[in-house]
Amino acid sequence: MLNALGRIFGRGTSGDRDDPMAFLDEYAAVMNRHTGLEVYNGFKRGHTGLSIDAGFGSGMLLWLEDGQYCFDEEERGKVVKGGIIASASVELTQKVMVNYTVSILRHSLGLPVLGVPTKADELPSGWVLQETPTWSYVALDGPQGEHLEFVASGARYCVALAWLYDVTPSELLNAYMLPDGGPLLRRWLGYPYLR
């Protein structure tokens, strides 16, 4: 079903989902086609970043720095590093990027706001969020020995990763383009998580 949906919206097929960097092309194509944002995948051209231009001097940036993929907001050419998420895992960072920007996409498609839980007390059973004594969250540990490392400034950016542990960024993007989130977003919750 996701492949058929991908053909409808002009995206890649399941073979592309195995390459985490190929997802950035898919994401840019979807966002450029369906939202007012301008998304530029610099990774494809040998650069170290993907930019999301929201207009009026603001936007978001996904970039690689010192072995960490970082995703943060940009305003007037300045990026607040460590504000949203940084991780050695490009897939974790991409999932946070999708969750962070999906409300723009769903609004553009005329769909209701939909998302997975984002509060620390909404973690799935057995998952634990590690917090440093300062202001950041640094990992999620799962009941089956899962360990997801990152640096994030707020639980709302990383809690969803526990729900999306075994989902690819491409599958997540495709699910958010369905009015009710489809079976992927309903499989844990039993119902769409309307906000």
Side-chain angles (χ1 to χ4, degrees), residues 111-124:
L111 302 174
V113 177
L114 179 68
V116 294
T118 59
K119 297 178 183 170
D121 60 359
E122 297 173 317
L123 280 166

Side-chain angles (χ1 to χ4, degrees), residues 100-121:
Y100 191 82
T101 58
V102 75
S103 60
I104 300 166
L105 175 62
R106 288 186 63 84
H107 177 75
S108 296
L109 294 172
L111 302 174
V113 177
L114 179 68
V116 294
T118 59
K119 297 178 183 170
D121 60 359

Side-chain angles (χ1 to χ4, degrees), residues 24-133:
L24 296 177
D25 280 339
E26 176 184 4
Y27 176 82
V30 167
M31 297 301 277
N32 285 329
R33 182 173 182 182
H34 298 289
T35 72
L37 303 177
E38 291 182 22
V39 180
Y40 174 77
N41 181 10
F43 285 105
K44 184 175 184 177
R45 290 157 186 84
H47 303 288
T48 59
L50 175 137
S51 63
I52 304 169
D53 184 354
F56 304 108
S58 66
M60 290 145 271
L61 189 65
L62 170 72
W63 77 98
L64 177 62
E65 182 177 312
D66 298 329
Q68 296 278 306
Y69 290 92
C70 309
F71 177 68
D72 281 305
E73 290 184 337
E74 180 180 25
E75 188 168 341
R76 297 185 190 97
K78 294 182 181 179
V79 179
V80 180
K81 296 182 180 180
I84 297 178
I85 192 166
S87 174
S89 168
V90 67
E91 287 200 34
L92 289 184
T93 310
Q94 289 170 348
K95 290 176 195 179
V96 171
M97 178 181 71
V98 170
N99 275 325
Y100 191 82
T101 58
V102 75
S103 60
I104 300 166
L105 175 62
R106 288 186 63 84
H107 177 75
S108 296
L109 294 172
L111 302 174
V113 177
L114 179 68
V116 294
T118 59
K119 297 178 183 170
D121 60 359
E122 297 173 317
L123 280 166
S125 179
W127 284 83
V128 177
L129 183 59
Q130 293 182 17
E131 184 177 4
T132 63

